[in-house]
Amino acid sequence: MANSRRVLTLLVPLVIFLIACYFLFKGLYSDPRKLDSALIGQTVPEFTLQDIYTPEKHYDASIFKGQKLLLNVWATWCPTCYAEHKYLNELAGQGIYIIGMNYKDNRTKAIKWLTDLNDPYAISLFDKDGMLGLDLGVYGAPETFFIDSKGIIQYRHVGDLNARLWQDELSTIYANME
């Protein structure tokens, strides 16, 4: 009886240690840009948000219907968003319809950013308190959602969009959407 307790005393911590090692090892080889989203295949959640430039103007989820588009989540406090912004302007120049969602930010700073760096967004939403971001499962900025013409989220990209990533991977996803 004493031997079996001694074995259990040694075995339980070993099993816990091995399980922890498994999850840590698995995490080393996961791609942080590939965060699963429970919303893939679902419509954008209902919302009402102000236009960033005109607070009296409000938008709802109907803006995501009618054409395929990108919803780009960004903020002035995000250095990666700054790095990504030039390429978003290039995509918009190629005819990619992009809706921007300024996330948990200061409206005045955001407008200055868009004025100084050019505004690639067809529509600019202002999500001051982050509620739509929360509903979308946003972890931070930048994140980009690929939304088809029916308003259904087809893909979620975490991190910046850039020319290499767009050409190697994301342009095919975008092209294959309805």
Side-chain angles (χ1 to χ4, degrees):
M1 188 75 166
N3 281 342
S4 58
R5 282 186 198 204
R6 177 180 275 182
V7 169
L8 275 176
T9 304
L10 295 174
L11 196 56
V12 169
L14 178 62
V15 168
I16 293 171
F17 174 75
L18 292 174
I19 290 170
C21 286
Y22 167 78
F23 286 108
L24 289 172
F25 185 75
K26 184 178 173 186
L28 285 175
Y29 294 98
S30 65
D31 185 348
R33 294 176 296 150
K34 303 260 189 222
L35 293 173
D36 292 331
S37 174
L39 295 179
I40 301 298
Q42 296 183 32
T43 58
V44 175
E46 287 298 319
F47 69 91
T48 301
L49 286 178
Q50 296 175 334
D51 181 88
I52 200 157
Y53 298 106
T54 313
E56 307 81 48
K57 187 173 187 176
H58 291 83
Y59 295 102
D60 60 29
S62 67
I63 62 172
F64 296 110
K65 294 182 180 166
Q67 64 181 318
K68 64 182 177 181
L69 59 92
L70 303 178
L71 170 62
N72 179 254
V73 179
W74 68 280
T76 61
W77 46 260
C78 165
T80 308
C81 297
Y82 184 84
E84 165 186 72
H85 197 83
K86 182 178 178 184
Y87 191 67
L88 292 175
N89 277 300
E90 288 180 34
L91 287 176
Q94 296 170 22
I96 305 292
Y97 192 84
I98 309 171
I99 293 177
M101 185 176 83
N102 182 250
Y103 178 67
K104 294 185 176 181
D105 206 350
N106 176 285
R107 183 188 305 269
T108 304
K109 288 180 182 178
I111 291 171
K112 181 173 176 12
W113 167 299
L114 293 173
T115 302
D116 292 348
L117 302 176
N118 296 321
D119 185 350
Y121 306 119
I123 296 172
S124 290
L125 303 171
F126 184 57
D127 190 16
K128 179 182 173 121
D129 59 7
M131 292 311 293
L132 179 55
L134 181 67
D135 290 344
L136 288 167
V138 169
Y139 286 87
E143 289 190 25
T144 303
F145 295 84
F146 289 56
I147 302 171
D148 70 17
S149 61
K150 296 174 186 162
I152 297 172
I153 299 169
Q154 296 295 322
Y155 184 78
R156 173 185 179 199
H157 174 74
V158 177
D160 70 314
L161 296 181
N162 57 61
R164 182 194 50 77
L165 185 62
W166 184 260
Q167 291 186 349
D168 291 351
E169 185 179 337
L170 300 179
S171 64
T172 303
I173 295 167
Y174 183 79
N176 290 329
M177 291 190 324
E178 298 177 17

